[in-house]
Amino acid sequence: MTTSTPPLREAARAIVLDDDNRVLLLRYDENGGFWATPGGSLEDTDGGDHAAAVLREMGEELGVLQEAIELGDQLAERSKEHLVGGREVRQVEKYFLARIPAAAIDPARASQPDNIREHRWWTLAELNATAETVYPIGLADLVTGVLEHGAPVRPVVLDG
C-alpha cells in the first residue's frame, strides 16, 4: 500500500501585538471552533515572499493598511497536515511578529474576511487561562519569550 504525500501549501501568519502587548486572534467556527493568528497561503502576487504575504493578509482579513504595520522578524514555523477547502494539504506556516495600533483594524476595509467570526485582543493572562482552542499551540509561551528576551535567533518550531 502506498500513501501519497499531500501537496505543499506555504502560508504566512502574523503574531500581532498592540501597544499594550495584547495578542490579536481571529475566531473561526469550523472544526468545533478555534482562535488563530491572522494569515494565509502565499499567492503568486507575493512572489514567494512570506513577509509580503503577511502584509497582504492583514489588509484582506482585517482591513489594516500596510503603513500601520510594523513588521518584525520571523519568530516561528509550524508544519501540519489538515484539510483546506476539502482537500488534504501539508501546510508550512512561517510566523512573523507584527505590531499595530488596536485602532488600525477596520473590518469595513477587509476585502477577504474569509470565515472569520470575530477578532479579539487577548492579554497573555487570558491566553494562558483559556480553555478554548488556540492555534498555534504554544502561542502564549512564544509571545512571553519574545517580550522578555526579544526575537529568537532562529525561528522556533511549533507543534501542530
Side-chain angles (χ1 to χ4, degrees), residues 26-93:
L26 310 178
R27 188 173 69 79
Y28 298 87
D29 288 341
E30 55 264 17
N31 301 321
F34 62 92
W35 293 87
T37 59
S41 66
L42 267 64
E43 295 182 359
D44 291 340
T45 57
D46 301 321
D49 184 341
H50 288 78
V54 166
L55 296 173
R56 177 184 48 76
E57 287 285 343
M58 294 281 292
E60 289 177 356
E61 292 181 341
L62 297 162
V64 178
L65 299 174
Q66 288 189 13
E67 308 83 65
I69 304 168
E70 179 186 324
L71 192 62
D73 296 327
Q74 181 186 344
L75 301 178
E77 186 170 303
R78 176 177 91 138
S79 180
K80 180 170 178 53
E81 290 185 11
H82 65 108
L83 292 176
V84 173
R87 71 176 200 149
E88 185 81 13
V89 298
R90 182 174 65 86
Q91 183 156 304
V92 176
E93 302 171 331

Side-chain angles (χ1 to χ4, degrees), residues 16-29:
V16 181
L17 303 179
D18 70 359
D19 297 332
D20 296 320
N21 291 325
R22 295 180 302 169
V23 180
L24 178 66
L25 293 175
L26 310 178
R27 188 173 69 79
Y28 298 87
D29 288 341

Side-chain angles (χ1 to χ4, degrees), residues 122-143:
W122 296 64
T123 66
L124 283 174
E126 291 169 332
L127 272 179
N128 282 313
T130 189
E132 296 190 59
T133 302
V134 174
Y135 294 115
I137 296 167
L139 177 62
D141 291 338
L142 177 62
V143 172

